[in-house]
Amino acid sequence: MLLQIYSLCILGLDLMTLIIGVCYTILIAVYRMFRPPPLKNLNYEVAMVVGAGRGIGKELALQLCQFGVVVACVDINAETCTATAQRAQQLHGICKSYQCDVRNKDAVAQIVNLIKIELGNITMLFHCCGLPSPRTLIQESSEVRDTMDLSVISHFWLLDSVLPCMRQAGKGHITILSSVAGLSNGSSGRGTRVPLSTAQFAVQGLAESLHMELRHSNSNIIVSLVHVYPFIVGTEIAKDIRFRIPSYFGTMPAAEAARQILDGVRRNYAEFSVPGYLLYLGHVLRILPKKASFMLRDLLDTGVDFA
């Protein structure tokens, strides 16, 4: 009897501690909405930007150089990757280009080892490959295996090689870019993009699992998951996209998207979106009944897949 009473008391204390902790965390989160954390200094960091040949990856590489980061540009396209590195050097940044197919485990290990020798231990990783662009969303779907290898499996090959570098350096920041398909599981409009949506959900699960594992291991490595709405990063195919509510979505240059991503990374946000309101929209979609979430997606229909 006494043991049962003692157990109930311990359970009550645990629940009270949990409730107080949750309330405190919510208050801090609300406070941070109005007063964000300070921006951290990126001087002397060594960043590996995968997919630096074009789009957001290119802009991230260029802007990182301006913050004093040593950047390793990695892309399967050697020509565009070299062009990004040359542009960064013109801006007085320290940047080198490396050609690599990140779907190949051995190739990734070799490139990471080469970067470590030439530039030092990698302390920042940006994975920009597999992020659906407006163009990919209106074209035919890629092969399922190619989509999964590029968008999901490549993360494992990179982490296998990069995490030891970060542990050796005693710090690290892993930034994973995902489509908003990681926020909602529906797609609308013409065609089907099941592989793309599935891959983006897998990326979100990977980021959350990695975050938990590193947290429990008391590692000084931060994980940031960034949800990007693909239509905002350019206007080159605006004629192919039907915006149901144009003022709601709008467009954004890749340079501005990269700036917002780096702002969130420098504040050590675990999860955020570009634009910022999409993260909250995704949470609302999860809470709503399935039929209601479908109705909201229909309202926000863009005429092509919302992946």
Side-chain angles (χ1 to χ4, degrees):
M1 183 65 179
L2 291 176
L3 182 60
Q4 291 180 343
I5 295 175
Y6 175 76
S7 299
L8 288 174
C9 290
I10 295 298
L11 178 60
L13 287 173
D14 288 342
L15 289 175
M16 186 178 298
T17 303
L18 175 63
I19 293 172
I20 294 174
V22 169
C23 291
Y24 176 76
T25 302
I26 293 174
L27 289 175
I28 292 296
V30 173
Y31 171 74
R32 287 305 185 189
M33 290 177 62
F34 300 97
R35 192 176 181 85
L39 297 168
K40 66 180 180 181
N41 193 337
L42 299 182
N43 274 333
Y44 309 113
E45 300 281 355
V46 178
M48 179 180 182
V49 182
V50 182
R54 60 183 179 84
I56 293 179
K58 175 182 178 180
E59 296 299 332
L60 283 173
L62 296 177
Q63 293 184 30
L64 282 167
C65 285
Q66 296 176 18
F67 285 118
V69 179
V70 178
V71 179
C73 295
V74 179
D75 202 287
I76 193 172
N77 188 318
E79 183 178 351
T80 57
C81 190
T82 300
T84 300
Q86 291 175 346
R87 176 56 182 161
Q89 291 167 4
Q90 292 173 359
L91 298 174
H92 307 290
I94 302 175
C95 185
K96 294 195 68 174
S97 65
Y98 301 87
Q99 182 183 17
C100 178
D101 183 354
V102 293
R103 296 170 296 184
N104 186 313
K105 181 178 181 180
D106 293 334
V108 169
Q110 293 175 3
I111 286 298
V112 170
N113 186 56
L114 182 60
I115 294 172
K116 181 178 178 180
I117 293 173
E118 295 183 348
L119 302 179
N121 280 320
I122 298 170
T123 58
M124 302 186 76
L125 173 64
F126 293 82
H127 190 295
C128 307
C129 292
L131 182 67
S133 66
R135 177 63 64 184
T136 62
L137 291 179
I138 64 172
Q139 292 175 338
E140 293 297 323
S141 298
S142 302
E143 290 293 331
V144 174
R145 183 176 296 276
D146 289 341
T147 299
M148 298 302 292
D149 283 347
L150 182 61
S151 301
V152 183
I153 304 302
S154 61
H155 284 87
F156 291 94
W157 307 152
L158 286 163
L159 292 172
D160 282 346
S161 299
V162 173
L163 279 176
C165 294
M166 293 182 174
R167 291 192 176 102
Q168 186 173 351
K171 61 179 180 178
H173 199 136
I174 299 168
T175 304
I176 301 173
L177 271 61
S178 170
S179 163
V180 291
L183 289 174
S184 66
N185 62 351
S187 63
S188 58
R190 61 191 176 187
T192 175
R193 294 294 180 269
V194 173
L196 284 174
S197 296
T198 302
Q200 299 308 307
F201 268 106
V203 168
Q204 175 174 323
L206 168 66
E208 291 180 355
S209 299
L210 181 63
H211 178 80
M212 292 298 294
E213 180 176 339
L214 293 175
R215 184 174 71 89
H216 288 304
S217 64
N218 296 320
S219 173
N220 194 25
I221 300 175
I222 300 166
V223 179
S224 292
L225 174 63
V226 187
H227 303 278
V228 181
Y229 182 62
F231 299 144
I232 68 166
V233 297
T235 59
E236 68 275 11
I237 60 166
K239 65 180 185 300
D240 295 322
I241 299 174
R242 171 173 56 80
F243 291 111
R244 183 76 175 269
I245 310 176
S247 60
Y248 175 82
F249 293 104
T251 57
M252 179 188 299
E256 174 60 20
R259 187 196 67 78
Q260 292 190 22
I261 291 170
L262 288 180
D263 183 83
V265 168
R266 295 181 67 198
R267 298 184 193 278
N268 289 336
Y269 288 149
E271 184 178 13
F272 60 98
S273 65
V274 178
Y277 58 79
L278 284 178
L279 184 63
Y280 304 105
L281 175 60
H283 293 330
V284 170
L285 287 172
R286 289 177 177 176
I287 295 173
L288 290 174
K290 185 62 67 176
K291 187 174 181 180
S293 68
F294 287 156
M295 294 169 65
L296 180 57
R297 292 188 187 104
D298 289 340
L299 174 65
L300 302 178
D301 178 25
T302 57
V304 296
D305 293 323
F306 195 59

